Every structure is written in structure tokens, then in C-alpha cells.
Amino acid sequence: MTGFIDKDNVYQGQFSPKLLMNTAQENVLEHIKQQLETCESFIISVAFVTEAGLTSLKSIFYDLNSRGIKGKLITSDYLGFNHPKVFRELLKISNLEVRIFPEEGFHAKGYIFKKENHYSITIGSSNLTSNALQKNYEWNLQFTSHYNGDIVEQVMDAVEQQWEQSLPLSYEWIDTYSVVFNALSEARKRSTTIQLKQQNGIEPNRMQKEALLALSDLRSTGANRGLVISATGTGKTFLSAFDVKQFQPRNLLFIVHREQILQKAMADYKQILGGADSDYGVLSGSIQNTEVKYLFATIQTLSKETRLNSFGKQAFDYILIDESHKVGGESYQRVIEYFQPEFLLGMTATPERTDSFNVYELFDYNIAYEIRLQGAMEAEMLCPFQYFGVIDYEREGEIIDDHSQLDKLISTERVSHLLEKVEYYGYSGEVLRGLIFAVEKDEATQIAKELSERGYKSIALTGDDTIKVRESAVRQLEEGEIQYIVTVDIFNEGIDIPSVNQVVMLRQTQSSIIFVQQLGRGLRKNSTKEYVTIIDFIGNYKNNYLIPIALTGDTSKNKDTIRNKMSKINQIAGISTINFEEIAKTRIFESINAVKLDSMVALKEEYFSLKQQLGRQPWLLDFILNDSVDPEILVKNKKTYPEFLLAIKETTENLSDSQTAFLQFISLELLNGKRQHELLLLKKLISGPIKKTAFIEWLSLNELLVDLKTLESVEDVLTLDFFVTASQERYGNVPLLTKSNDEYNLSSILKLDLGQSLYFKTAFIDALDAGIERAKRYQNNRALTIGEKYSRKDACRLLNWDKDESATLYGYKPKYGNCPIFFTYEKDESLDASVAYEDDFLNAKVLKWYTRSNRSLTSKEVIKIVQSNETRMPIHVFVKKSDGEGSDSYYLGTAKVDNNTVQQVTMRDGKPVVEMNLILDNEVEKSLFHYLMSSSNT
């Protein structure tokens, strides 16, 4: 009804038709994935298939196969578009039967999913290619019909005819097709005119143009030092060459930490700057060519006292330090202290250091430009990647973990498991060029030996190998003489192999920085690959929680934030995808639930990292503005920020009992930003009294929720009337707000405290500002934001209850004109039968829900809920996955009772309970629904 006849006739289910497009919020690929995850079988009929498009679905096909679910795929050889390799990849998927439609002009694009009692069908313009599923402007109609539906019969008849007319895919067919494909490819090459750019005709990309302008602006302020933070593969060397070109130095010094980088850097500079070869020279080891305009030197040679003193202190007016996060070393310090250039530029992908050296300070806190991995992917500056979190080797229930011995890491069975995964998930391009990161040297050596014996020529490289040996291995990999280099961390940085098309992480994630560095080894663009495959073997590692942190760049230390990002992590900027086999994803959620992210050690480390970056003591607002720790986490254990500073032995000022109580109130009750009215009112009152009518008008102008009940609630919160006695005592029994007739004012004690201590006033305003900034994640024109998490206490406050009744709210409570319902989706098996409710989602819009036990159809609270449609009492639904998530629950919005389903039933202990279906006014967001419905994460 809703979709095809009358949009105002709301259908209370999940089967409404929908137009699927690729937008910033969602894309066709995510829809296809979600349909596959919930189907009993599937049929895909598409003319064109690319490796990247197919690879993005491989982990789901793997999970479906483990559940015995099979599918069919019909494609074609139309226009010679599909590469022979993609047909070979299709044959690797054992639960997918593939046929080729033999006639020219086949241009179908349809995805058919058989469900329990219906079909879900998507037909439109999207082929099985990464661009069509994620990027291009596409229209696809998704609709649902019962098995008996006429439209289903028409679609299935057409597909069955296609299937009967099609040829089974086989290796023999691929061999024959390859001849035709190769001939067509050669013809295309001959007809294409390749226009090579002139040597000095290279233009800066968008990022480089922005950075060049920023560097120029920085120097215009008189600054003589600057830092560029740019993800691996984004063209830092070219950027620096462009800046040298605009600076026009008399002499340049380019400093690196490894000799093999020099020649490549010098070649890049020649492309940008031009000039005679005699303008360029190298200072490294036995090469001492220093009488040049542009000198490229290793720090090891340059820092030697006799060599350093051979230069004048002002010999170079522009000095550039590559991988400048290393500048804390003694050799770097010696060089930096010696020279006096007009401008010193540092370049790094990771300025963060594990020691106490402050990289930011050395460059005068001048961050000229910064682009991290997520921004670089969004700007399409890097090669797209297909990340796969896969299950590590398991034998007799024993899984690789933090304490696994070497014999298990290098066992024949684990190597077989490794090969099974790398062969299944594959690589882009014609020739495999892979990097494998192992845990220890002996493991790397043995795995390289095992792989070589199985037909994958491999070399192990460790820190014991010379530069010459490493360079030889890289050359062999690039030229196709070997397929893998197996290494132990030595390729985390400082190595450039653009043709790498597969990166295998065969070790636990110890650091999100190292994780990104290793992932980055394959992110340089190269004509030999369309994307890079990242295969991450996930065992029972306690540090698995670092994976979503590394992939999203999240440093909030907030478990809810990380869980939320993990549940929505499948696709990031651009056409890269992130995929987890279901068991691997479960292990990550287990790790998130188990880890203590907010330890004082971890928070102290983040604090000093931000302090180094800012060059001063940060305030709470700074943590938000710099994407650092969530301020709510900082104050959770210590109650206020000054108390946190005292705990980490930072300088602060003494506060009175009342000042501490006021800060505790703001920090524990309002800093979360879930309603900003109290924060905004307090901030306005610092400047003086305000009329209630003026505040209402201001709220209205700023499109914030404004009604008398909300304002009464705000007043009750700030006068402490809302809180129970214990909370009032914790906050000193001193209100923050007074009200007289139509006027609000600060309480006399708060005004006195603000006037007596500048430090307290600064900390108080900072806590208000941090809460206001944090509130931007919420829809402040409504009481609650769907998809965000709330506690029972939050619900009482935000639904404008007169008092905090969270202690007696339990699972639900109809009161004050509304009824919040809280439930845990996964019940602990040890629960007593009297509270083991069987709440269950029937679909993304309908929830089967149970009242408390020992309730009947005549119970007063049940009657209120059942009659809520007539009385228009809103029912607000909150859910959490499991008790391992803590006390807060996701808000799903309001719901209506399906009165036709209300019935009294009996629980396992024989007590009566009332069962009913609640129909949500909004479908549960797809990624959240999948997270809630997936196998246990705790």
C-alpha cells in the first residue's frame, strides 16, 4: 500500500519498496550484503562483473557456505568486458553456481533473494562492479513479494529462461574466452592514444595544492618551521618538491633515514624541479657528492661530527626531514641544532611517538597540513583496498592466541589455512606481489620456506638482513620472480613497493599506528592493480579491539562509539570495503567488551599526546576538537577534569568543596550533551540574569526543542529537584539555578565561586562548551535521537519526568504520560526462569515483547500499555545487545501496540506474562539491526 498505492497508508512492516542509490549515507553494496546475510538462497543476474565487485562479497559468500546456503549467478561475455581472471575467481566460490548467457546484448542487472516466506528483489542499473555498487549514480528498485506474487512469478520465469539458455562456467570455457578477450584488449590498446606528460608537466593534486597554500600562508606569518602530516602513499615527496619549487631556495638539504630512499626521492625531485643532473647530489656512505644545489643525505652520514662541521651553519636555506617522527634521535638533534635554515619542513604519516619526545614542539607546533588515512581514501588519493578480517587457524577448539608457541604458528595445518584464505580472497592484477607480516623471525623464515615448497616462491626478511639483501628481495618481488616477502615489522615504513597487491597480517595487532603503517604498504596507486587485498588473520587476541580503532581512526576510548563504528564499518570513504567473516567479527566485539580502554595509563598517554600537539595543557573541549579521548571518559572515574589532572600529576589549582561539587554536576550529568538546554542556559546566565520568555525565544530561533514540559524539566535538573537525595547530597545540596517569576539567575553560591576563582570559571565554562560541542551528535529539536545510547536515568530526564525514577524503572514504566521500555536482546543463559523473557525482533520494524512476569491482561500497567494507542501515550523502545555492553541502550524510537497480538501466556516457571507485538514507527537502522541479530558478541 505505502509504496505503490498510497504513501499515507502506512504499512506496519519491513516490506515497503525503496529506491536504492549510492549516497554518502548508504550504497547499493550494503543493501546487497544485508539481503544476502538473511536469505535462504539467491540468484544474481548481471552482465558485468569486476574483480573488485566480486571480492567485496567474498566474505559473505564464505559465511553463507558455512551455513549451507547456495546461490546462482548468470553473467555474460558481452563486449569482452569481464576479465578472464574474474571468471576464474567465480569458480573459487564453492556455493555459487555460475552460468554464461551466450547471446550478445545481455544487459540484465538483477539480484533476487529468497527469504522464509517471500522474495526480496532488486532490479535496476547496478552491475556487480565496485563503481556501480558504491560510487556511480545508479537507480535500483528494491521490492518484496510473497512467493505467490505475480511480479515474482514474472521475474522467476525470466531468470529460469536465462538459466536454461546459459552455459555452465568451466575452465575450458575460460580458456576459449581468453583468446577472444586478449585479441579485443590488443585492439583497444592500439586504438587508444596515450598522451604522456612532459617531464616537468606534473601538476599537484588537490591535497598538494591545499598543502602548498597552507605552507605559503605559514611562512607569511614569519614561521621558519612547519610539519606536514600525510598518510602513506599520498605523495609527500612530490608535495615537498612542489614546495621547494615555490620557495626557490639557494640550496636544499633533503634528509632521510635509509639509503634506499635517496635515489627515489632525488628522481622525484628531478621530475618537478628539472635542471641539470649536476644540480643533484647524494651524501651517503661512500658517496660524497656535496657540491650541489640539491643535496640528498642519510642522517647516519650527515650527523657524523667531521662531516657536519664541513658545512656552514647556513649552507642550506631549505631543509626537509623525511619520516620526521624520528627526529627525537640523537643524530637528528645534532643536525637540527647545527644548521640555521630559512625554513625547516618535517614530513610524516605518524607524528605520534611512544617515547616522551615532542615532535610537534620541534616544529614550533606549526602543523601546516594534515591528512590521515580516512581523508586520503575519501579524496581518492590512495589505491582502494578490500580488507578482510578472517578467522585464524583453529584445531580441536584451540585457536591461535597471544600465547601460541612457534610450533603452532608455523604448523603445516596453519600454512594450509593461510593458503586457503589468500587463494580465496585473491588479489587484483595478473601477478601476485604480496607482503606477509609475521610475529617473529623464526616464524617468518619457516613460513617463507613452507610457501616456497607449495609453489609460492617466498623470501623471509628480518632486521638481520642487510640493505642490499632487502633491495634484492624487493626487486625480485616487483619483477615477479617471487610472490611473497615474509617480514617481521621492518617494512612498516620507509619502503615503497607500489605494485604490492596483497598484504597479509599474520599477527596480532599490537598498535593501531603499526596496523595502519602495514596496511599502507599496499595503498600506493599503480597501473598493475585496481585495488589491494588486505587479509588480517584474527585469533583470540586481547588486542583485537584495536582493529576498528585503526580502520576508523577513532581515539575516543568510548566503547559505545567503537562498537557503533564497528557495526557500521563495512564501507569507508571511496570504493574501499571492510569485511569480516562472522566469527572474526564476533571476536572483535568480545575484545571490545573485555578491554579496559579507560585505564589511567591509557588516558594519561592520550592526554600527553594532545598536550604535545597543542604545546599547552589541553581543556576538555580540546579533546573533542582534536578527535581525541571522549571527555565523558576522562571524567568518568575522577568526577571532574581538575581531579583527573591531579591524578596524572599535572598542574592545577585547589578548588573549594562547592566548586568541586558544581564541576562534578556538570561533568557527570550534563557533559554527555544528550540535552544541551541546561548547558546553554548556564552559559548565558554567566553573563547575567535572563528572562524565561527571552530564553524560549532564543531556543526557538536556534531550532531547539522548546515546550513548557521541557523547560520545567530543565529547571528541575538545575535546581536539583529532579534528583534523588543521594545525588543531591553528592552535589552539595546547592542548586545551580534560581528562578523568580519570569527570570532565571545563577544561584548566589555559584555566582560567588565563579567570581572568586578564574581557574574554576575557566574549567566550568570549558565543561559547558565541551558538552555543547558533544551535543552536536544528537538531534536537539527532539528529546531523544534514534540510534544513540541512553541510560534509564537519561530517559527519565529527557522524557521530562518530575523525578529520577531510574532505580525502579526496571524493564518499563508507564508514567508521566509516556512509557520507556528497556530490554536486553541476548539474555544470559544463567538467568532465573522468572526473568528470562523471550523478547525477539520479528523483523526490523516489529518486536515481540513481554511484560514483567506475574502480570495478566487485567494488570493496571498492562492495561495502560495496551490502551496506549487510544490514549496516545508514547512508548519509547530502548535495546542493548547484551549485558556486556554496560548500562546504556540504543534508542529505537517510538512504537505502537499491535492489539491483535496481545495475549496472556505462561513463562517457563509457570507464572503469567503478557505478550504483544510492538510496531516501531521507524525501522531499526540496517547496521544496528544486523549487529543486534548476529551471533553472540559477548
Side-chain angles (χ1 to χ4, degrees):
M1 288 286 288
T2 305
F4 293 113
I5 299 174
D6 182 1
K7 67 179 177 63
D8 295 322
N9 190 335
V10 178
Y11 170 69
Q12 296 179 337
Q14 64 171 348
F15 304 127
S16 299
K18 184 177 182 181
L19 180 66
L20 303 177
M21 302 172 66
N22 295 318
T23 67
Q25 290 72 41
E26 60 181 354
N27 58 40
V28 181
L29 176 62
E30 286 311 299
H31 167 79
I32 299 299
K33 284 183 173 182
Q34 287 157 0
Q35 292 293 334
L36 282 168
E37 287 168 348
T38 56
C39 74
E40 295 181 348
S41 65
F42 61 91
I43 302 173
I44 299 173
S45 178
V46 287
F48 302 146
V49 184
T50 62
E51 277 192 83
L54 177 63
T55 301
S56 64
L57 297 178
K58 277 188 174 180
S59 64
I60 291 184
F61 289 149
Y62 174 86
D63 286 331
L64 291 177
N65 190 42
S66 67
R67 287 155 43 197
I69 294 173
K70 299 181 178 180
K72 297 178 178 179
L73 186 144
I74 307 169
T75 186
S76 72
D77 58 0
Y78 182 46
L79 299 178
F81 177 89
N82 293 339
H83 197 287
K85 187 171 178 243
V86 82
F87 289 121
R88 295 190 184 96
E89 293 298 315
L90 283 165
L91 288 176
K92 291 181 181 179
I93 304 170
S94 58
N95 57 328
L96 186 64
E97 187 178 356
V98 184
R99 290 193 178 184
I100 308 298
F101 195 77
E103 298 180 15
E104 287 192 6
F106 181 79
H107 218 241
K109 293 112 178 173
Y111 302 81
I112 304 163
F113 308 96
K114 183 180 180 182
K115 303 299 181 74
E116 184 178 359
N117 55 15
H118 66 276
Y119 279 97
S120 181
I121 300 173
T122 299
I123 295 176
S125 63
S126 289
N127 279 297
L128 187 48
T129 71
S130 57
N131 282 330
L133 295 178
Q134 296 173 261
K135 183 179 178 182
N136 293 347
Y137 192 94
E138 308 272 349
W139 275 14
N140 298 276
L141 179 63
Q142 183 267 324
F143 61 92
T144 303
S145 177
H146 191 271
Y147 289 164
N148 230 13
D150 181 61
I151 187 65
V152 166
E153 186 174 336
Q154 292 180 49
V155 171
M156 294 307 296
D157 283 348
V159 169
E160 286 170 11
Q161 286 181 35
Q162 288 178 8
W163 189 256
E164 293 303 319
Q165 295 172 35
S166 299
L167 306 171
L169 179 63
S170 65
Y171 288 110
E172 292 76 18
W173 183 91
I174 297 172
D175 290 340
T176 302
Y177 172 71
S178 295
V179 175
V180 177
F181 178 87
N182 291 334
L184 286 170
S185 295
E186 287 300 318
R188 289 179 184 133
K189 288 178 184 177
R190 288 193 298 270
S191 65
T192 302
T193 302
I194 302 175
Q195 296 181 343
L196 295 174
K197 292 182 178 180
Q198 295 298 316
Q199 185 179 32
N200 294 321
I202 299 176
E203 293 295 325
N205 60 33
R206 180 176 66 81
M207 181 279 288
Q208 291 164 342
K209 288 179 180 178
E210 293 175 0
L212 289 170
L213 181 61
L215 282 164
S216 179
D217 289 345
L218 176 65
R219 285 191 289 266
S220 70
T221 66
N224 59 9
R225 294 186 178 190
L227 183 65
V228 169
I229 303 170
S230 185
T232 300
T234 52
K236 291 191 294 294
T237 305
F238 276 121
L239 166 62
S240 66
F242 284 124
D243 192 50
V244 169
K245 189 175 183 178
Q246 76 174 357
F247 188 90
Q248 294 290 312
R250 182 183 71 259
N251 290 98
L252 161 79
L253 175 62
F254 188 110
I255 304 173
V256 301
H257 69 288
R258 287 185 179 173
E259 187 173 345
Q260 64 263 46
I261 304 173
L262 282 181
Q263 297 296 334
K264 177 66 169 63
M266 191 164 65
D268 290 344
Y269 265 60
K270 284 181 179 179
Q271 290 189 71
I272 304 301
L273 302 178
D277 288 347
S278 58
D279 289 342
Y280 299 83
V282 169
L283 174 60
S284 175
S286 59
I287 307 175
Q288 306 285 319
N289 186 10
T290 60
E291 299 300 321
V292 292
K293 183 175 182 178
Y294 306 117
L295 180 62
F296 295 78
T298 60
I299 188 65
Q300 295 85 352
T301 303
L302 180 65
S303 62
K304 292 178 180 177
E305 190 171 352
T306 53
R307 171 48 66 187
L308 190 59
N309 290 333
S310 70
F311 295 99
K313 289 184 176 292
Q314 297 178 340
F316 305 98
D317 40 356
Y318 192 117
I319 295 179
L320 185 142
I321 302 177
D322 190 36
E323 304 292 357
S324 54
H325 52 278
K326 298 179 179 295
V327 293
E330 182 182 342
S331 57
Y332 280 97
Q333 288 296 295
R334 190 181 310 128
V335 169
I336 293 169
E337 290 172 5
Y338 181 82
F339 287 116
Q340 297 173 358
E342 289 183 31
F343 190 69
L344 174 67
L345 177 65
M347 298 190 305
T348 180
T350 53
E352 299 82 5
R353 290 177 57 88
T354 55
D355 60 25
S356 60
F357 186 80
N358 191 341
V359 175
Y360 299 99
E361 182 181 22
L362 189 140
F363 291 97
D364 296 337
Y365 304 101
N366 294 325
I367 302 175
Y369 192 78
E370 179 173 7
I371 183 164
R372 301 283 183 153
L373 173 64
Q374 288 72 27
M377 297 302 302
E378 185 175 352
E380 299 183 355
M381 298 166 61
L382 301 175
C383 174
F385 65 85
Q386 302 267 11
Y387 170 93
F388 295 96
V390 305
I391 192 74
D392 208 334
Y393 172 63
E394 178 178 349
R395 179 175 60 190
E396 298 178 355
E398 187 179 357
I399 305 164
I400 297 292
D401 60 22
D402 301 278
H403 308 293
S404 293
Q405 300 300 310
L406 178 63
D407 60 345
K408 188 173 181 181
L409 296 177
I410 63 174
S411 68
T412 300
E413 293 86 357
R414 193 188 188 212
V415 175
S416 296
H417 180 74
L418 161 66
L419 284 175
E420 176 190 329
K421 295 297 184 183
V422 298
E423 288 173 353
Y424 180 75
Y425 290 111
Y427 57 91
S428 173
E430 297 293 329
V431 179
L432 171 60
R433 297 180 178 90
L435 289 179
I436 298 178
F437 290 95
V439 177
E440 52 185 275
K441 295 175 184 179
D442 291 341
E443 178 194 7
T445 301
Q446 190 61 34
I447 286 177
K449 181 175 178 292
E450 285 270 355
L451 291 175
S452 295
E453 290 175 353
R454 301 193 192 197
Y456 289 87
K457 293 182 180 179
S458 305
I459 291 177
L461 288 181
T462 71
D464 297 335
D465 293 303
T466 65
I467 296 295
K468 187 174 181 180
V469 170
R470 298 180 194 182
E471 290 178 341
S472 174
V474 170
R475 179 193 58 77
Q476 291 180 69
L477 187 71
E478 289 180 317
E479 295 179 3
E481 296 175 12
I482 61 173
Q483 282 77 56
Y484 284 111
I485 293 176
V486 189
T487 181
V488 183
D489 290 343
I490 63 170
F491 280 3
N492 291 355
E493 60 183 13
I495 188 68
D496 188 9
I497 317 176
S499 59
V500 164
N501 53 14
Q502 190 185 83
V503 176
V504 180
M505 298 178 177
L506 204 60
R507 81 294 168 273
Q508 60 180 304
T509 300
Q510 291 283 18
S511 158
S512 58
I513 294 174
I514 292 175
F515 179 97
V516 172
Q517 287 174 338
Q518 292 178 345
L519 181 147
R521 294 309 98 203
L523 295 184
R524 292 191 185 276
K525 290 187 174 182
N526 189 264
S527 60
T528 64
K529 64 186 182 184
E530 181 185 354
Y531 59 91
V532 59
T533 303
I534 312 293
I535 305 174
D536 191 2
F537 285 80
I538 299 172
N540 274 351
Y541 302 132
K542 63 181 181 181
N543 286 342
N544 281 336
Y545 72 91
L546 287 169
I547 294 172
I549 289 174
L551 289 169
T552 63
D554 181 88
T555 57
S556 67
K557 304 294 183 184
N558 187 320
K559 287 188 179 185
D560 285 337
T561 301
I562 297 170
R563 283 192 200 96
N564 186 41
K565 289 185 176 181
M566 180 65 192
S567 68
K568 299 177 180 179
I569 204 170
N570 290 343
Q571 193 247 341
I572 64 172
I575 57 174
S576 295
T577 63
I578 298 173
N579 313 273
F580 291 92
E581 293 175 359
E582 196 61 46
I583 298 175
K585 181 182 285 189
T586 296
R587 288 184 181 162
I588 292 175
F589 279 114
E590 288 172 348
S591 176
I592 294 171
N593 289 342
V595 71
K596 184 173 174 56
L597 290 175
D598 59 351
S599 69
M600 285 305 293
V601 172
L603 296 181
K604 183 177 179 180
E605 181 180 322
E606 293 294 335
Y607 169 86
F608 281 107
S609 175
L610 183 58
K611 183 180 180 182
Q612 284 190 345
Q613 182 177 337
L614 298 176
R616 58 171 173 81
Q617 190 176 83
W619 290 97
L620 288 175
L621 182 60
D622 291 316
F623 287 92
I624 299 179
L625 298 180
N626 290 277
D627 296 319
S628 187
V629 180
D630 186 338
E632 194 179 10
I633 303 299
L634 284 173
V635 303
K636 184 172 68 173
N637 295 323
K638 294 301 175 182
K639 314 306 181 191
T640 71
Y641 188 53
E643 289 174 279
F644 168 78
L645 294 176
L646 282 173
I648 62 172
K649 297 181 170 51
E650 278 285 88
T651 303
T652 183
E653 293 184 15
N654 292 327
L655 298 176
S656 68
D657 290 344
S658 60
Q659 289 168 346
T660 298
F662 286 133
L663 277 182
Q664 284 188 358
F665 175 81
I666 300 297
S667 301
L668 300 180
E669 303 294 346
L670 306 182
L671 179 62
N672 57 44
K674 293 176 182 179
R675 183 169 71 189
Q676 59 176 318
H677 294 58
E678 290 93 337
L679 297 160
L680 294 168
L681 180 55
L682 288 172
K683 191 166 184 184
K684 281 187 168 295
L685 291 176
I686 291 174
S687 301
I690 184 174
K691 293 287 186 180
K692 183 174 182 177
T693 51
F695 184 59
I696 291 173
E697 183 179 351
W698 186 87
L699 290 173
S700 181
L701 286 172
N702 286 275
E703 299 182 348
L704 295 172
L705 179 67
V706 53
D707 58 72
L708 291 178
K709 286 295 295 180
T710 298
L711 284 178
E712 288 173 4
S713 173
V714 169
E715 293 168 4
D716 288 342
V717 168
L718 294 181
T719 58
L720 304 188
D721 290 343
F722 168 78
F723 298 95
V724 297
T725 302
S727 293
Q728 291 175 343
E729 291 175 352
R730 179 195 304 153
Y731 302 133
N733 286 310
V734 179
L736 289 82
L737 177 80
T738 61
K739 51 179 180 175
S740 175
N741 298 323
D742 187 39
E743 187 173 83
Y744 293 133
N745 205 342
L746 293 179
S747 67
S748 57
I749 296 179
L750 178 54
K751 278 196 288 188
L752 183 65
D753 281 342
L754 289 169
Q756 286 184 337
S757 170
L758 177 61
Y759 181 79
F760 167 67
K761 184 175 182 179
T762 303
F764 187 82
I765 294 174
D766 170 57
L768 296 179
D769 287 340
I772 292 167
E773 184 67 26
R774 201 178 187 280
K776 290 180 180 179
R777 73 179 67 184
Y778 301 99
Q779 293 176 285
N780 283 287
N781 60 349
R782 57 184 60 192
L784 298 156
T785 302
I786 293 175
E788 293 292 341
K789 296 190 84 172
Y790 299 90
S791 66
R792 285 167 169 77
K793 186 177 183 180
D794 292 330
C796 293
R797 176 167 75 100
L798 301 178
L799 292 175
N800 301 327
W801 285 22
D802 294 345
K803 295 289 182 181
D804 173 15
E805 299 189 29
S806 55
T808 57
L809 199 157
Y810 307 117
Y812 60 93
K813 195 168 194 177
K815 197 168 184 179
Y816 299 111
N818 49 57
C819 178
I821 291 176
F822 285 80
F823 71 98
T824 303
Y825 194 69
E826 283 187 352
K827 306 298 190 298
D828 189 325
E829 293 181 359
S830 64
L831 281 176
D832 185 89
S834 64
V835 292
Y837 307 110
E838 299 178 1
D839 307 307
D840 189 24
F841 283 106
L842 302 182
N843 55 56
K845 202 171 172 68
V846 181
L847 168 68
K848 183 170 69 173
W849 176 74
Y850 294 83
T851 64
R852 284 191 286 269
S853 68
N854 212 21
R855 299 297 189 274
S856 69
L857 291 171
T858 58
S859 299
K860 289 183 179 180
E861 65 191 46
V862 174
I863 293 172
K864 286 183 179 180
I865 293 172
V866 171
Q867 293 180 347
S868 61
N869 294 346
E870 290 74 31
T871 61
R872 297 191 176 184
M873 179 183 70
I875 295 176
H876 297 271
V877 182
F878 301 81
V879 62
K880 63 179 175 180
K881 171 78 170 176
S882 67
D883 288 332
E885 285 192 0
S887 60
D888 288 6
S889 300
Y890 294 99
Y891 179 56
L892 303 184
T894 52
K896 294 180 175 62
V897 175
D898 183 349
N899 293 103
N900 295 321
T901 63
V902 177
Q903 59 178 331
Q904 184 174 313
V905 294
T906 304
M907 295 192 71
R908 285 181 294 174
D909 63 352
K911 293 180 180 178
V913 65
V914 177
E915 170 193 298
M916 68 189 74
N917 287 352
L918 299 177
I919 302 172
L920 294 166
D921 292 330
N922 298 276
E923 279 192 9
V924 182
E925 192 268 331
K926 290 177 181 177
S927 59
L928 175 58
F929 184 68
H930 176 66
Y931 166 61
L932 294 170
M933 298 291 287
S934 61
S935 58
S936 176
N937 296 318
T938 58

